[in-house]
Amino acid sequence: DRTETLRLAHGRTLGEIVSRLSDASAGKGPKMVLYSAHDWTVMPLLMILSNPSDPTPWPSFCSDLRIELLRQRSGDREYFVRAFYCGGTHGPNQPWGKSEAIQIMGEEGGHLVPLSKFCSLVQEFVPTDYDAECSCQGRAAPTRDF
């Protein structure tokens, strides 16, 4: 199914992102983390984060997906997550796409989601035991004769 495929294909990347956000909210780790990826990594992350009923665009050249952690300035200083997608460009001398806020997980989330809720929303896409879930344990690596 869709959730299992996304979890096994890109859930470990999402787990790394969630871990970095959680660490940053606890004052640990760097203030900014930058990952570089190809379209076949950006698109599944968009599929996970976006409204499941909306079509996911194939990322163009130089697209970017930003996931930001924000802290409330007053009150309990709660942490929030928001995400933006910029469609990049389709080639030289072509216009750049507009950066747009992602409504995280559709109606369940929103444009600005408390960190704890964000972690809960994406948890189903983060494998707890990757090897067991993809049945990789005990299998010999495939070999190829050249």
Side-chain angles (χ1 to χ4, degrees):
D1 79 334
R2 176 184 182 272
T3 301
E4 181 180 32
T5 301
L6 290 169
R7 182 176 63 245
L8 295 178
H10 297 282
R12 291 188 296 177
T13 303
L14 181 62
E16 172 75 16
I17 292 167
V18 168
S19 177
R20 296 278 190 164
L21 293 170
S22 296
D23 286 351
S25 73
K28 297 184 271 181
K31 290 190 177 215
M32 181 180 148
V33 177
L34 177 67
Y35 296 95
S36 178
H38 288 279
D39 50 354
W40 45 267
T41 301
V42 173
M43 184 174 185
L45 289 173
L46 275 173
M47 290 175 70
I48 292 169
L49 294 175
S50 301
N51 187 340
S53 62
D54 289 343
T56 305
W58 193 266
S60 300
F61 185 69
C62 296
S63 296
D64 75 80
L65 171 63
R66 287 189 326 272
I67 302 170
E68 301 176 344
L69 180 66
L70 307 167
R71 184 175 62 199
Q72 191 174 0
R73 290 185 181 187
S74 60
D76 60 7
R77 298 176 60 90
E78 185 177 4
Y79 283 89
F80 292 87
V81 175
R82 68 179 178 186
F84 292 91
Y85 172 71
C86 178
T89 183
H90 292 284
N93 303 318
Q94 297 294 315
W96 282 88
K98 190 173 98 179
S99 188
E100 297 183 23
I102 295 173
Q103 185 168 346
I104 297 172
M105 304 296 272
E107 295 301 316
E108 290 187 60
H111 294 291
L112 192 61
V113 181
L115 175 59
S116 58
K117 184 174 182 179
F118 176 81
C119 293
S120 296
L121 287 171
V122 300
Q123 190 59 44
E124 71 178 317
F125 294 100
V126 178
T128 53
D129 184 348
Y130 179 79
D131 290 336
E133 287 186 49
C134 73
S135 303
C136 294
Q137 289 181 330
R139 286 188 173 175
T143 59
R144 180 184 267 178
D145 293 328
F146 291 98

